[in-house]
Amino acid sequence: MYIRPDIVGNEFAEVSLTIDEEANSRRLRLEDLKTGKVRYLDALELETLVWLPEGNLAKLLDPSADRWREEDA
Amino acid sequence: MTLTDIPTSSSGARGPAAPYDELIEAQRVHGSLYTSPAIFADELEQIWYRTWVYVGHVSEIAEPNDYVRKNIGPQDVIMTRSADGEVHLLLNRCAHRGNLVCEADAGNSSSFRCPYHGWTYRNTGDMLGYPFHGGYGGRGKLDLGLGRVPRVGIYQGFVFGSFAPDGPTLEEHLGEAKGEIDRLVRLSPEGEVEITAGFLKHKARANWKLLAENETDGYHPQFVHASIFSVAQSGIGALYGEKSTAVTRALGNGHSENDLRPEFRRIGAPLGWFGTTEEKVPEYSAAMRARYGDAAEEILIEGAPHVMIFPNLFIAEIQMFTIQPLAANLTVQHVTAVQFKGAPEMNKRMLQQCIGSVGPAGMLLADDTEMYERNQAGVAELRPEWLDVRRGVHREEIDERGLTVGGATDETGMRGFWKHYKHLMTEGRAQ
Amino acid sequence: MTAAATAIPTDAEPTQLDVRDVEQFLYREARFADEHRYDDWEALWTQDGLYWVPANDDDADRMAKMSIIHDNRSRIATRIRQFQTGRRHSQVPHSRLRRVVSNVEILGNAENGDLEVGANFVLVESRERSNELWAGRYTYRLRVVDGAIAMSYKKVALVDNARAIATLSFLI
């Protein structure tokens, strides 16, 4: 089965990662292929992610942390 | 702390550095205005760190989180676009120990991290944080951020900054010069210019006012540029001849133009102002006629403006210059080719023509700059003390807009420059 | 562009030259430029010559970005004719010039078969305004035309091409 080289996916999520050259320096372009939502990350943001402790990243994964909050429902 | 305290030094209400009323007369100005370091320091406070100064163009920071390093005189200014699309003008100085927070000429980043101790700021200038926060009693304890140019104004994509927290609006400052910017952008089939070609930086060992005055001096081209006009068989020289129907106009607030439209209308050829014809740029011509309909003919005949916007933006048809004063006897000219959005065919031609003309090796600007530098050497001589700006004063007229108009080679623009300069340095001084 | 040794020339054998002959050519070109011998200098160019001094980035896109000099053969001729009017004010009087050309290195053949040569230079310019120190890297493309070496390309990558520089109206 062919898998696009820019996609990281599993049964829960599918995200495309590309290097974007349109801005004044390179950025990482992330696209949630299930919704089409796009976000860019610059170098300093990426470095920050690398250094994020597991616990802090886990907190962001809580489905009600940012995405599915009751006030948005 | 008020952010406006940052650039205007500690002197506050210091008096004038010189008796400007005596040094600036209607038809002559004193040589010391070009050589005195004290007057230069006074100009920084009363002009460069107060009035609206051109900084950059929105197309240079097209994407969210883009930034470019720019300047307002000697001040190192970072022009940023935050994630919400807003344009910010920040001073390149860490609030901790004063280090530069930004070293690259351009980039894309949501934040700036000082290399010295890691203090980090949003691209809005707000502080994000600092390492080892225990030393400051915890997170978010410091009421500090990057310095900001307090007022940012944008007209047709041209971004201006003013260090004065209040004063005339950008549109009030631009006044009659707005129409000249409008005339430039309407030459794009999409109504926008783009500044994408990068800048040449040309050093002149001369006072900035010699450059500003020369920009709409229609008297010099036949002499300074005779060499290139003759070998390139250029028609530009004739536009500034004794018989030219072009005019020089003082636009108010120190702005001025060489209005070449009377000559271009007389010739009546679309794109004649650019030395080409519609046949040679068919896609551009078609796009212009599609957008503007019948009005395209006039737009293509009248061409681009030749306007000096006080104190530092000079649009010379297809070229855009900014003037950066660094000392009484040192100025940097930044220059690039204007590019029209949606006009790749024209843009290539404009870029290559611009490269031939401007910058350190330019077939026009190298000679202008030679004149600036010889002029700077000359004005240091003690006699006759004055520079003469009377040319054409006896034949000036007031036009239907109430603006002063002189002949193609008259010093009407210079007199308008000095009138505004004198106002800013005397009764119009910051309190 | 760097050496493209694998490129196959379409209409000629790849140019091969002895490094001593290449050096002699570069030194002569430098001397003609230093001494403002405009006709002699112009005669070193091929008909498709390109004289390029990039700005801000040594490998900038010269069709999309500003350059300090970007002369095709026709504009090289215009530049020379302008000097010869005697009214090119930024070269009246001429700058006094001397340059040292060194680190001469044959890099290989360009796509069209021309021999690509690299060299470093340091140049002192003296005029009333000031003395200026110029330095950078030359890249030449050379071929033999009518039995003599000629240049089809000269690129001058100034070390300070991203900074504010003084008037540069002589032949760099």
Side-chain angles (χ1 to χ4, degrees), chain A residues 20 22-27 40-45 47-48, chain B residues 60-61 63-68 106-111 113:
Chain A
D20 174 82
E22 297 303 307
N24 286 0
S25 59
R26 281 184 160 190
R27 310 176 282 186
Y40 294 91
L41 291 174
D42 63 54
L44 197 50
E45 290 169 337
E47 186 199 64
T48 303
Chain B
E60 296 175 83
I61 45 169
E63 290 292 313
N65 296 330
D66 274 349
Y67 64 90
V68 286
N108 182 276
S109 188
S110 62
S111 10
R113 179 166 292 167

Side-chain angles (χ1 to χ4, degrees), chain B residues 150 349 384 400:
Chain B
R349 288 168 175 262
E400 65 285 358

